[in-house]
């Protein structure tokens, strides 16, 4: 839980899948399905301007009866992103996604996008950490295994 997001990104990788604001919903959804991801970042001339997520597909496209081939991402993306520094720790990031009700955290350093961390990345990291703690405590309680 004390691990910094910089370390998580080293394992996960820094590749970020993104679309332009003028892309269509159909193209963004195809990219999400091809990559098996729940969101794409929206980048306009090098600047992060929004995120388009599975939730946006449900609420702003399907439920709003918009046509995916003609609707542009800029019309339906989520703005006002919660971004984080690579220096924050997994525990803090988990609190942030819960409080801000977001599933994806773009990681920014010196004004540059350097990666994306999802709620799944964080819970996977936290689960591994907690399992290691449990194993350690079990070894402490039971003593070393004799074989
Ligand atoms: N085993 C693992 O390491 C692991 C890691 C993350 C998620 N998952 C599982 O995947 C499912 C969905 O995960 P989720 O809700 O976290 O979100 P998700 O489906 O959006 O993310 C899945 C993975 O893709 C990455 N990703 C998502 N959008 C990206 C983008 N635009 N650019 C680059 N990478 C991107 C995430 O960081 C994550 O590693 C859950 O069932 C979760 O448990 C497993």
């Amino acid at each position: 839980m004390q691990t910094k997001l910089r370390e998580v990104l080293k394992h996960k990788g820094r590749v970020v899948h993104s679309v332009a604001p003028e892309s269509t919903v159909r193209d963004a959804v195809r990219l999400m399905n091809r990559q098996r991801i729940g969101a794409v970042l929206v980048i306009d001339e090098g600047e992060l301007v929004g995120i388009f997520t599975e939730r946006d597909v449900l609420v702003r496209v399907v439920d709003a009866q918009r046509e995916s081939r003609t609707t542009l991402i800029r019309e339906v993306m989520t703005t006002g992103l919660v971004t984080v520094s690579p220096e924050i720790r997994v525990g803090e990031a988990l609190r942030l996604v819960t409080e801000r009700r977001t599933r994806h955290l773009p990681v920014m350093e010196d004004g540059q996008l350097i990666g994306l961390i999802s709620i799944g990345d964080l819970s996977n990291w936290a689960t591994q950490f907690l399992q290691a703690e449990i194993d350690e405590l079990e070894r402490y309680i039971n003593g070393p295994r004799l074989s």
Side-chain angles (χ1 to χ4, degrees), residues 32-140:
M32 288 156 74
N33 288 340
R34 205 167 53 236
Q35 297 296 333
R36 295 167 174 255
I37 53 178
V40 281
L41 294 184
V42 186
I43 300 201
D44 191 15
E45 294 179 0
E47 197 185 326
L48 177 62
V49 294
I51 187 168
F52 181 65
T53 70
E54 290 164 329
R55 181 65 57 84
D56 296 324
V57 175
L58 286 180
V59 176
R60 300 198 183 122
V61 181
V62 177
D63 197 36
Q65 298 193 330
R66 282 184 160 110
E67 172 57 59
S68 69
R69 279 173 302 180
T70 52
T71 303
L72 302 182
I73 286 297
R74 64 172 161 74
E75 301 172 63
V76 290
M77 67 186 184
T78 294
T79 53
L81 286 179
V82 183
T83 63
V84 291
S85 150
E87 289 302 302
I88 76 161
R89 297 174 194 279
V90 167
E92 194 181 340
L94 271 169
R95 268 194 302 282
L96 198 59
V97 292
T98 308
E99 281 167 17
R100 303 293 293 269
R101 299 179 69 88
T102 182
R103 288 171 165 266
H104 300 88
L105 293 171
V107 185
M108 308 281 296
E109 187 167 46
D110 300 329
Q112 297 292 314
L113 178 68
I114 63 164
L116 179 86
I117 300 282
S118 74
I119 194 166
D121 298 323
L122 295 171
S123 66
N124 182 44
W125 202 271
T127 306
Q128 283 182 29
F129 169 82
L130 291 173
Q131 189 58 54
E133 292 268 291
I134 291 168
D135 293 348
E136 179 74 25
L137 282 171
E138 280 182 353
R139 270 196 299 276
Y140 176 74

